Amino acid sequence: MVNDKAILVGVDGSQASYKATWWAANYAKHAGLMLQIVCAYSLPSYAAVSFDSTYTSMGDDNAAHIDAQEILSKAKAIADEQGVEAQTLIVTGDPSSVFVELSRNYNLIVIGNRGKGGLAERLLGTTSSSLPAYAYCPIIVVPYTDDDGKTMHLNNTIKRVAVGIDASAWGLKALQIAADLSADRGAELDVIDAVAGLQGVSDEDGVYDSYMEDLETQIAPVREAHPDLKITKTIVPESAVSALTKASYDHDIVVVGSRGKGGFTGLLVGSTSQGLIQHAAGPVYVVPRKYVEAEKSRSDGAIEGIEGVEQISVKTADSSAAEAIESSIDPEHEA
């Protein structure tokens, strides 16, 4: 069965993954969920950023396993600081394929971005292993630094939500999820339809009015479901990547469907170095095509006993370790 009581978050010892854990813990706390924290590694071809290359290159699985437990103990301490229950798992094998399989068993996975190698690179770095494009559940990608490598502050509240919409099933599902999230958090929702072909088109010829009417039709079910939700709708005459990246700077989270009609295929399946998930200034909530297509039968698609996944108990690091990590991952952190 799909685990609807927990959010899965991936860690690899990088500051980026600890920041994702911190954000996921805040999200889980508000939603009344627990965390399942997973550390994934593969020997000898892959070593997480904190692993010592001298022993990982030798294939010393025992040493790497111990290091993974230490990483998990620190991540668990971060969850404890937020008052969130957390379980810990270790994944051996190729993280990109295992995480896709794990996505069948969860309603949400959170991973960090802009770490120096490690898990995020494996899960986001190539078309064949791009987790947001191929997952069976939504993925939230949490940024660690901006494009200049400067550590960013992230809010632990969600007051403004942006969603990129098109007429595809996954674009409309993204709208529904964004509306539900906004209503649950008491947030404002900004619905953005990016139409690059409108560049240079005047407002006077009625084209914008036509697009706005179509957009209102798409929004109508959301207004009915959430009559008190404050919704702003915007037609933006530029690419989806550009419009949503800009939106990420003044919204607490951006929701988007993958493989949508309006150009999201290139956004999330093409070169990630050029896409929203690599340049956003805040968390990006990705609603994958596979999730939408398999949603009605997801309970039948859950997998038991995924090879390479081991649930373990680790000793939680002391609060000073969590405090040190939180101070390093957020420039505005207050002790």
Side-chain angles (χ1 to χ4, degrees), residues 190-206:
D190 189 6
V191 181
I192 299 172
D193 187 3
V195 187
L198 290 182
Q199 292 177 341
V201 175
S202 172
D203 289 342
E204 298 177 357
D205 57 16

Side-chain angles (χ1 to χ4, degrees), residues 18 69-79 315-317 321-322 325:
Y18 288 137
Q69 291 182 62
E70 182 177 348
I71 290 169
L72 288 170
S73 72
K74 293 177 180 178
K76 192 172 187 298
I78 294 172
K315 181 180 179 180
T316 305
I325 292 172

Side-chain angles (χ1 to χ4, degrees), residues 164-174 218 257-262 264 292:
I165 187 175
D166 57 30
S168 68
W170 27 93
L172 295 176
K173 185 63 177 180
Q218 294 168 341
S258 68
R259 287 190 178 271
K261 181 179 178 182
F264 294 123
V292 176

Side-chain angles (χ1 to χ4, degrees), residues 117-266:
L119 182 63
E121 185 173 292
R122 290 300 295 268
L123 298 180
L124 299 172
T126 64
T127 299
S128 61
S129 64
S130 178
L131 182 62
Y134 293 96
Y136 290 87
C137 77
I139 308 295
I140 295 180
V141 182
V142 178
Y144 171 51
T145 63
D146 61 19
D147 285 342
D148 296 323
K150 183 179 179 180
T151 305
M152 293 187 299
H153 169 69
L154 289 179
N155 293 326
N156 60 4
T157 57
I158 296 177
K159 295 300 182 184
R160 296 193 68 201
V161 177
V163 58
I165 187 175
D166 57 30
S168 68
W170 27 93
L172 295 176
K173 185 63 177 180
L175 172 62
Q176 178 191 325
I177 287 175
D180 291 344
L181 174 61
S182 299
D184 179 61
R185 298 298 183 99
E188 299 177 2
L189 177 62
D190 189 6
V191 181
I192 299 172
D193 187 3
V195 187
L198 290 182
Q199 292 177 341
V201 175
S202 172
D203 289 342
E204 298 177 357
D205 57 16
V207 174
Y208 275 88
D209 290 340
S210 176
Y211 273 96
M212 193 64 76
E213 289 176 5
D214 291 341
L215 186 56
E216 182 58 38
T217 299
Q218 294 168 341
I219 294 173
V222 165
R223 291 197 189 277
E224 183 177 355
H226 303 289
D228 297 327
L229 179 61
K230 182 178 180 180
I231 302 175
T232 301
K233 55 184 189 290
T234 309
I235 306 295
V236 182
E238 56 185 294
S239 72
V241 176
S242 175
L244 296 176
T245 298
K246 290 177 181 177
S248 74
Y249 280 84
D250 55 11
H251 292 78
D252 298 309
I253 191 167
V254 176
V255 185
V256 63
S258 68
R259 287 190 178 271
K261 181 179 178 182
F264 294 123
T265 299

